[in-house]
Amino acid sequence: MTAAGWPEEETDGPATLGGRWRRLLARMGGRLVALAEAEGERWVLWLPVAFGAGVSFYFGLRQEPDWWIGAVAVGGCAVLVLALRRWFAMAGVAMALLMLAAGFLVAQAHTIRMAAPVLSRSIAGATVTGRVMAVERRPGATRITLRDVTVSKLAPERTPAAVRVRLSDRFPAPAPGSVVRLRATLLPPQAPAEPGAFDFQRRAWFMGLGGTGFATGAPELVEAPPVTGWSTVAVAFEKARGAIAERVAAAIGDPVEASVTTALLNGEEFGIPEATMDDFRNSGLAHLLSISGLHVGIAAGILFYVVRALLAAVPYIALRWPIKKIAALFGILSALAYTLLVGAPLPTVRSVLMTGMVMGAIMLDRHPLSMRLVAFAGLVTMAMDPEGMLGPSFQMSFAAVVALIAAFEKGNVRLAEWRRDAGWIVRGLFYVGGILLTSVVATLATLPFSLFHFQQIAFYGVLSNLIAIPITSFWVMPWSLIAYALLPFGLEAPALIAMNWGDRAVIWTAEFFGRLPWASLTVPAMPADGFALLVMGGIWLCLWTRWWRWLGMLPVLAGLASPMLAVRPDVLVAGDRTVMAVRLPDGRLSASVKGGGRMTETWRERDGERSVADPWPADGGWSGGGRSLDCDALGCLYRVRGKTVALPRLPDALDEDCGAADAVVTAEVARRCRADLVVDRWTLRHEGAHALTVTAERVTVETVRGLRGDRPWTGGR
């Protein structure tokens, strides 16, 4: 034997060397097969991941693909699966490709199905008629969604199927299901505030909204036939939500407490004051106001145990009927009713699917919780609303559930045995420890998505949840079910008051932790590439069970570090030409106008800043840190890294600026401008918001259209 461990007679000649490599590759292949077999039961969990990757690939395209591409891809992959069915490994790869193509096809089909006219320009003083399908009660205003719309200044073929209109609180809100006529100004769905920011145009497309706006007068009721079909159910639940809000307001005098109680009963968060919402966000308790898995699970669980206890109290029924399975059926029905009552938001739909499968497993005498259950729920949810997969509700909801199951599935049986043999004191400690561990795992799992979507970290989330979740579970939700039962009889006031005692404690917890020093930290927006790394690393970490799962920490850490490496633009320009901003020496943005509305608020949030800098001076300027801004009546000159960006206010300044500046940004038309980079009225209208980054070599630009391309929801930008 040689020092390397090979037989001496096999060390001579190229053929022997080739045999050595073949044996080495065979050993490596055998080990890989052994690793794959060790995780054999987990491979199926990657099929929903492949489906989601197909959805993401579709939405990441810059051009809309031909309608037949998705169907051909699915058909080709299905043939490939059949052809390779005898070879397990290759068939698995083909199956993953099939799921990838299926996700692409479902997203494409959903886009085609939701196709409807979208406003391409604003329309002032139009007469709008439509049926009220949703009423959102907000501080100082009411927002209504109208369907089956007619607009006086639009041809029928160009009229949106639905619009959302804001009414002043001076006007009474119309009843759901009624048909109203009103004068309004309608606007196209708003484009992203900057490249990479939230795309409301895409979300509006899949919500069926072709425009938004505000009413300039009181709505007038119009005689019309009553609603029919599924709309009848939707209107009935919308009326029920309104009735609940009125009953809560009558029973609870404090408007803040009433708004929180209403949100937990009917899912309407719109009435909660912004200051209170900030406290809930900063304290890490915002998830309690969003009806999701916690609320649905508690509601179904309470009804399950109550029904089971009541049936067990009757010996004739307990001895002859499967009371556990009957109670599980009631749990499913309660989850469905609760979901319809709160408007069926995406996290609630996911929760109902999982709750239904848990209760179904109880009815079939199967284990109720598993990763496969979550995988199936995710697959169904993505198929129902592919675009919703891109939003924070879906991502944070599933991240928390997947992480919790991954954390508990190994030691769950042993913990259950310890708890079963323990006394009540130890069981209490188990419960407190469970809440603490659950809060830690859920907080860590949702942190990346909070960073990506909201640029925020709540440092006291674990402590606040340790207080608020038991109050919600053992006090608020039981009283909410009692209130539901008493509402039809008009006897709900005592239950609402008792429920509000718990809500008051939750609000106090949010205020206390949300206003502590360093309650939350804002960070710059995470790059999309860093987010993708982080998500794939997290999936790898949760879906595998062997030691190699920890390799997923490498992309997770890289993704978490990506915001620190991101370079924020030096100049931002709104696509509607209303506001611009330049970066100050201290890193903050200074806008061209005071305020700036949602546009500058989005820029500030994506910068990770808590405060807004003063607007540009009308005359004069500032300098420092290698940056300067000089303004006069004609406009401003922004200098950074040896480059000059001209920001003219008036057309008279264009000739001089175009000859001297490296880049010119103006709300006017500047077709003959000689600058290296020109951003004018035409380019802003066509390309959307611009982000300019200045380097020592040149001024680079990124646009909304350049990043997202031309898709059905982009409104021709």
Side-chain angles (χ1 to χ4, degrees):
M1 298 289 289
T2 66
W6 299 97
E8 290 185 3
E9 64 271 20
E10 295 181 3
T11 59
D12 299 327
T16 305
L17 185 61
R20 182 185 302 176
W21 279 106
R22 282 195 297 272
R23 287 194 300 273
L24 180 61
L25 291 175
R27 290 176 185 174
M28 293 176 60
R31 290 180 180 178
L32 289 175
V33 170
L35 291 176
E37 290 177 348
E39 294 275 16
E41 75 283 358
R42 310 290 286 192
W43 283 100
V44 69
L45 302 177
W46 287 91
L47 295 182
V49 177
F51 187 93
V55 173
S56 299
F57 178 71
Y58 168 79
F59 284 112
L61 295 176
R62 295 189 66 255
Q63 298 290 332
E64 187 65 19
D66 292 330
W67 63 269
W68 49 267
I69 289 181
V72 170
V74 168
C77 291
V79 171
L80 189 63
V81 170
L82 292 175
L84 299 176
R85 65 185 183 277
R86 296 178 181 273
W87 295 274
F88 177 78
M90 299 179 67
V93 174
M95 190 65 191
L97 292 175
L98 176 60
M99 294 300 292
L100 185 79
F104 184 96
L105 175 62
V106 167
Q108 186 180 31
H110 193 54
T111 300
I112 296 172
R113 184 176 68 85
M114 297 303 296
V118 177
L119 293 179
S120 59
R121 59 182 178 85
S122 60
I123 302 174
T127 301
V128 182
T129 305
R131 189 180 296 277
V132 180
M133 296 303 295
V135 179
E136 302 171 6
R137 301 154 191 85
R138 294 170 174 264
T142 301
R143 201 164 65 177
I144 61 175
T145 300
L146 302 177
R147 295 197 177 274
D148 302 325
V149 177
T150 61
V151 181
S152 61
K153 297 184 179 183
L154 284 178
E157 64 273 11
R158 299 178 59 192
T159 302
V163 296
R164 196 162 63 188
V165 180
R166 188 176 70 251
L167 297 174
S168 170
D169 59 356
R170 295 183 291 109
F171 308 130
S178 62
V179 176
V180 298
R181 181 188 299 119
L182 47 81
R183 296 278 291 179
T185 294
L186 297 181
L187 307 168
Q190 191 174 29
E194 67 170 273
F198 171 67
D199 193 346
F200 177 70
Q201 283 185 322
R202 186 185 65 209
R203 181 80 285 247
W205 175 275
F206 291 97
M207 292 171 62
L209 285 178
T212 61
F214 56 90
T216 56
E220 173 190 350
L221 291 178
V222 177
E223 291 291 335
V227 292
T228 57
W230 173 252
S231 296
T232 306
V233 178
V235 168
F237 278 100
E238 187 65 34
K239 289 181 177 179
R241 284 192 285 274
I244 289 173
E246 293 174 358
R247 301 280 186 89
V248 171
I252 301 172
D254 186 278
V256 175
E257 296 174 4
S259 64
V260 172
T261 302
T262 300
L264 294 174
L265 285 170
N266 67 2
E268 291 186 357
E269 304 175 40
F270 318 111
I272 301 176
E274 189 61 29
T276 303
M277 285 300 302
D278 287 339
D279 289 335
F280 273 86
R281 295 188 192 103
N282 294 336
S283 63
L285 295 178
H287 66 96
L288 293 180
L289 301 178
S290 176
I291 303 300
S292 57
L294 175 67
H295 308 79
V296 173
I298 292 173
I302 290 174
L303 198 63
F304 170 80
Y305 285 111
V306 168
V307 171
R308 188 179 181 186
L310 291 176
L311 294 177
V314 182
Y316 181 85
I317 296 177
L319 295 174
R320 291 171 174 82
W321 292 5
I323 59 173
K324 185 177 180 181
K325 298 179 179 181
I326 295 173
L329 177 61
F330 273 90
I332 294 174
L333 295 177
S334 68
L336 287 173
Y338 191 40
T339 300
L340 291 173
L341 185 60
V342 300
L346 194 62
T348 313
V349 172
R350 188 272 306 165
S351 303
V352 167
L353 286 171
M354 291 194 63
T355 301
M357 286 185 282
V358 168
M359 296 297 176
I362 292 174
M363 296 172 69
L364 296 174
D365 298 321
R366 299 292 182 90
H367 191 274
L369 283 175
S370 69
M371 195 69 82
R372 292 192 179 193
L373 183 74
V374 184
F376 179 77
L379 191 61
V380 173
T381 308
M382 286 187 289
M384 292 174 59
D385 185 8
E387 194 273 340
M389 188 199 79
L390 306 179
S393 295
F394 175 94
Q395 294 171 4
M396 297 179 79
S397 178
F398 271 96
V401 174
V402 168
L404 286 170
I405 292 181
F408 284 100
E409 63 184 351
K410 278 285 187 180
N412 195 37
V413 175
R414 183 174 298 177
L415 288 174
E417 293 176 353
W418 289 349
R419 187 176 182 276
R420 184 175 58 248
D421 300 331
W424 67 270
I425 296 179
V426 176
R427 289 191 178 191
L429 293 176
F430 262 102
Y431 176 76
V432 173
I435 291 179
L436 181 62
L437 183 58
T438 298
S439 299
V440 171
V441 172
T443 299
L444 292 177
T446 56
L447 173 62
F449 305 94
S450 180
L451 288 175
F452 180 72
H453 293 285
F454 309 116
Q455 295 82 55
Q456 189 177 43
I457 306 172
F459 287 114
Y460 303 122
V462 173
L463 296 176
S464 61
N465 278 279
L466 189 62
I467 297 173
I469 287 180
I471 295 173
T472 303
S473 303
F474 291 108
W475 187 268
V476 173
M477 291 305 297
W479 280 111
S480 70
L481 294 180
I482 296 172
Y484 283 135
L486 296 177
L487 275 167
F489 309 103
L491 304 175
E492 72 286 341
L496 291 176
I497 293 172
M499 176 184 175
N500 184 58
W501 295 340
D503 292 336
R504 189 178 300 166
V506 173
I507 294 171
W508 178 88
T509 304
E511 291 176 346
F512 177 79
F513 286 102
R515 299 176 185 179
L516 286 176
W518 293 96
S520 65
L521 175 68
T522 55
V523 297
M526 179 183 293
D529 294 342
F531 182 65
L533 272 176
L534 200 152
V535 170
M536 289 309 301
I539 292 174
W540 181 277
L541 187 64
C542 291
L543 294 195
W544 297 129
T545 60
R546 301 308 195 274
W547 63 266
W548 53 82
R549 70 187 300 182
W550 299 107
L551 296 176
M553 287 301 298
L554 297 177
V556 167
L557 294 175
L560 288 174
S562 62
M564 295 182 288
L565 304 176
V567 177
R568 294 290 295 151
D570 297 293
V571 181
L572 285 164
V573 190
D576 59 4
R577 306 176 295 280
T578 57
V579 61
M580 307 175 193
V582 298
R583 195 162 300 282
L584 298 172
D586 64 4
R588 294 185 299 164
L589 287 173
S590 175
S592 57
V593 297
K594 187 175 182 178
R598 185 57 192 165
M599 195 71 62
T600 55
E601 187 69 14
T602 300
W603 293 346
R604 179 190 63 79
E605 290 173 354
R606 290 179 60 80
D607 264 2
E609 296 291 345
R610 290 185 175 274
S611 60
V612 179
D614 293 333
W616 299 355
D619 191 12
W622 46 259
S623 64
R627 300 173 185 264
S628 68
L629 182 72
D630 298 312
C631 296
D632 57 25
L634 295 178
C636 299
L637 293 177
Y638 179 59
R639 296 182 177 89
V640 56
R641 300 184 182 94
K643 301 293 182 182
T644 301
V645 180
L647 308 162
R649 291 192 179 110
L650 299 176
D652 296 343
L654 276 176
D655 288 340
E656 181 180 352
D657 290 340
C658 288
D662 298 284
V664 175
V665 180
T666 175
E668 306 297 330
V669 177
R671 294 181 181 273
R672 299 180 181 178
C673 189
R674 301 184 305 277
D676 294 336
L677 175 64
V678 180
V679 179
D680 67 351
R681 177 186 295 270
W682 170 250
T683 56
L684 288 170
R685 180 180 179 183
H686 189 248
E687 300 288 334
H690 282 52
L692 282 66
T693 302
V694 182
T695 64
E697 292 77 24
R698 58 175 180 163
V699 181
T700 59
V701 63
E702 188 176 34
T703 68
V704 166
R705 183 173 181 266
L707 185 64
R708 65 176 184 168
D710 294 314
R711 305 303 298 272
W713 51 83
T714 58
R717 285 188 180 273

